[in-house]
Amino acid sequence: MRVITYGTFDLFHEGHRRLLERARALGDHLIVGVTTQQYDDSRGKLNVRQSLMERIRNVEATGLVDEVIVEEYEGQKINDIQRLGIDIFAIGSDWTGKFDYLRDYCTVVYLERTKGVSSTQLRNESQATLNLGVVGAGRIARRLVQEARFVSGVDVDAVYSRTPENARRFAAELELQTVHERYEDLLATCDAVYIASPHGHHYEQACTAIEAGRHVLCEKPIALTRAEAEDLFGRARSAGVVLLEALKTAFLPGFQRMVGVARSGSIGDIRAVEATFTKLVGGGRELDPPDGGSIAELASYPLLAVLKLLGPDPVRLATRSVRAGGVDVFSRIDLDYPHAIASATTGLGVKAEGDLVVAGTRGYVYVPAPWWLTEYFETRFEDTGRNRKFYYKLDGDGLRYEVAEFASLIRDGNTESYRLRAEESIAIAGLIERARANAQWFAEGPSDQ
């Protein structure tokens, strides 16, 4: 029986070896396809460290492989299977269902993810492998675990939740090795943590992780007050660890370029920024007081755009909100600067056009909804012949970019990202605090929840 499997095999470790051993056991001739950097880029695989030849040599050195080929383009698998007379296509269970279309050409086997390979073992084999533990078992944590698998050199295999049963379901669904019932136990077995707990727990859990010498990637908002954010970053600097806010938009190539274009002078002086982020929800912690509401849940995104384009220090901030169930469900934050104005609009259970408009003295930038996943924007002018359209690649839902940035900072020995600096996260926390504290409740909305 002729078996084929594919992969990047970057920073080769015991998990890779186990997968090859299982594939080998399915037949008597094993062929391995190793992906090129260009193909990895096209399929959204980030942070690949080793060259193609290094990765091929590592696969060959196992002694498990009869033949190595190079995977260069989407759709190649079908051609390889037919050309090489393949009987079985094997791949990790991370991809369950993804390759069912190949059943028309051969048997498809999904190999269970390697269990029993300790995080310590992986770290000892390659110091470049970052062992990331997850705090929280909600929707965003689920998406991040899935996205992290597209970032080379990052291993996510453990979870902690204040509700152990939720953590067990989470681990079973995502095939994680370990469930911890104590936060301290998670910290003892990982290099870094991703905190995706309810907002009110971010500060305490980040402090505990920093005190344990662990790097921290914390969901937005990193804290609900400016003082807490300042304290966290001060602690991280003293401990020499990376603290990064998981505000994904800041790390997207398209958003970074949009900011560069808007601030380059091509549209003149910026006079206004209007950013909106709303989403429909049917309930959940986002709407639970005291830490729920549209400002706490969503304002980080539009405030990021305002801050990047106009700076962190408005001379005036005013908020008007519609309230339901004890939290704001729709808010407009108005910010005044010496030579510009801005508005950040948020809504939960309310839907509005989620676009971003940057008005300048010569033209304007328009980013269509969902602007926070920036993959396309336009510069528009009075003379429409000067209009330009910009397109940028966006893979997944953007979370892999923040994971890649976090891993790169740790790997390179840097403690701050220029894409989202500590002072910017602190400023956003301060603006959220002011917006929530000073909101004018001009209406009490009925709840459809």
Side-chain angles (χ1 to χ4, degrees):
M1 299 286 284
R2 292 170 66 83
V3 182
I4 195 167
T5 189
Y6 294 82
T8 303
F9 299 103
D10 190 39
L11 304 171
F12 196 92
H13 56 67
E14 184 62 19
H16 293 139
R17 179 183 293 275
R18 296 282 184 89
L19 184 140
L20 293 181
E21 287 175 345
R22 292 175 179 179
R24 177 80 194 186
L26 296 174
D28 50 28
H29 188 92
L30 177 61
I31 301 171
V32 175
V34 180
T35 57
T36 64
Q37 178 78 53
Q38 291 76 18
Y39 182 50
D40 280 327
D41 289 343
S42 72
R43 68 194 185 104
K45 181 79 171 182
L46 304 179
N47 209 35
V48 175
R49 300 287 308 280
Q50 295 178 309
S51 70
L52 175 62
M53 291 311 300
E54 286 178 301
R55 293 182 280 123
I56 288 175
R57 283 196 295 268
N58 289 339
V59 169
E60 291 175 332
T62 65
L64 297 167
V65 179
D66 297 290
E67 188 178 347
V68 175
I69 63 174
V70 175
E71 185 178 23
E72 300 180 84
Y73 58 90
E74 186 175 5
Q76 182 178 328
K77 292 180 178 68
I78 291 176
N79 294 333
D80 288 344
I81 288 168
Q82 296 179 101
R83 175 175 61 88
L84 299 170
I86 299 301
D87 301 295
I88 299 173
F89 168 84
I91 200 76
S93 58
D94 295 6
W95 300 96
T96 296
K98 174 72 173 179
F99 296 103
D100 286 354
Y101 70 93
L102 295 177
R103 296 188 192 278
D104 291 340
Y105 306 94
C106 66
T107 299
V108 175
V109 176
Y110 294 102
L111 302 171
E112 183 182 355
R113 276 188 90 234
T114 301
K115 300 290 181 75
V117 178
S118 73
S119 300
T120 300
Q121 184 176 357
L122 291 179
R123 286 203 303 276
N124 288 341
E125 288 175 351
S126 173
Q127 291 300 313
T129 299
L130 176 69
N131 180 33
L132 181 65
V134 177
V135 181
R139 293 188 297 270
I140 188 66
R142 181 175 289 103
R143 295 205 306 271
L144 184 122
V145 171
Q146 294 166 334
E147 287 275 296
R149 290 171 179 166
F150 287 89
V151 182
S152 183
V154 176
D155 182 68
V156 183
D157 222 6
V159 60
Y160 159 78
S161 171
R162 293 173 302 135
T163 307
E165 182 55 37
N166 290 345
R168 284 190 284 272
R169 284 196 297 267
F170 184 90
E173 176 187 343
L174 295 166
E175 297 187 293
L176 304 188
Q177 178 184 332
T178 308
V179 174
H180 293 288
E181 295 192 8
R182 296 176 65 250
Y183 185 36
E184 292 75 14
D185 293 338
L186 176 74
L187 294 175
T189 60
C190 63
D191 306 306
V193 291
Y194 165 64
I195 297 175
S197 55
H199 306 322
H201 297 278
H202 290 181
Y203 173 73
E204 179 183 355
Q205 290 174 336
C207 282
T208 302
I210 292 168
E211 289 171 3
R214 301 298 181 256
H215 305 288
V216 177
L217 177 65
C218 184
E219 261 305 324
K220 50 76 194 163
I222 200 165
L224 290 171
T225 70
R226 182 183 181 93
E228 287 183 344
E230 287 178 333
D231 184 59
L232 284 178
F233 281 103
R235 289 171 183 259
R237 281 192 296 273
S238 297
V241 299
V242 173
L243 172 62
L244 187 67
E245 186 173 17
L247 185 46
K248 63 185 178 184
T249 305
F251 309 103
L252 302 183
F255 179 78
Q256 295 163 36
R257 182 63 189 279
M258 183 278 297
V259 171
V261 169
R263 299 203 65 169
S264 70
S266 62
I267 62 168
D269 296 328
I270 297 175
R271 290 289 183 251
V273 177
E274 296 183 4
T276 299
F277 191 159
T278 63
K279 69 176 182 179
L280 298 179
V281 295
R285 65 170 181 80
E286 297 98 329
L287 293 169
D288 292 339
D291 299 327
S294 71
I295 296 175
E297 184 66 21
L298 301 176
S300 298
Y301 294 103
L303 290 175
L304 170 72
V306 172
L307 182 149
K308 286 287 188 181
L309 294 164
L310 295 177
D313 299 311
V315 296
R316 177 180 167 274
L317 182 150
T319 307
R320 292 183 297 164
S321 298
V322 175
R323 189 186 193 112
V327 298
D328 73 287
V329 293
F330 188 83
S331 292
R332 178 180 171 121
I333 306 169
D334 292 314
L335 306 101
D336 296 344
Y337 288 80
H339 303 291
I341 58 175
S343 67
T345 301
T346 59
L348 290 172
V350 181
K351 202 61 189 169
E353 181 65 31
D355 58 4
L356 168 65
V357 179
V358 185
T361 55
R362 297 177 186 168
Y364 68 99
V365 174
Y366 175 71
V367 193
W371 68 264
W372 52 92
L373 295 176
T374 314
E375 55 184 335
Y376 163 76
F377 66 90
E378 298 181 19
T379 52
R380 297 175 175 176
F381 300 92
E382 194 93 2
D383 176 4
T384 58
R386 296 178 55 208
N387 292 357
R388 289 190 62 192
K389 298 180 179 181
F390 300 80
Y391 298 89
Y392 293 89
K393 191 169 183 289
L394 173 68
D395 294 300
D397 66 359
L399 295 174
R400 68 189 66 177
Y401 295 94
E402 67 190 32
V403 176
E405 181 74 3
F406 183 58
S408 294
L409 291 172
I410 296 169
R411 180 193 70 214
D412 297 337
N414 297 322
T415 57
E416 185 174 71
S417 169
Y418 73 88
R419 294 181 173 91
L420 183 61
R421 300 190 184 280
E423 63 187 35
E424 294 172 328
S425 288
I426 291 169
I428 290 172
L431 293 174
I432 288 174
E433 179 184 15
R434 290 169 60 187
R436 297 179 76 213
N438 300 322
Q440 176 187 356
W441 303 103
F442 71 94
E444 181 80 18
S447 175
D448 293 330
Q449 313 309 322

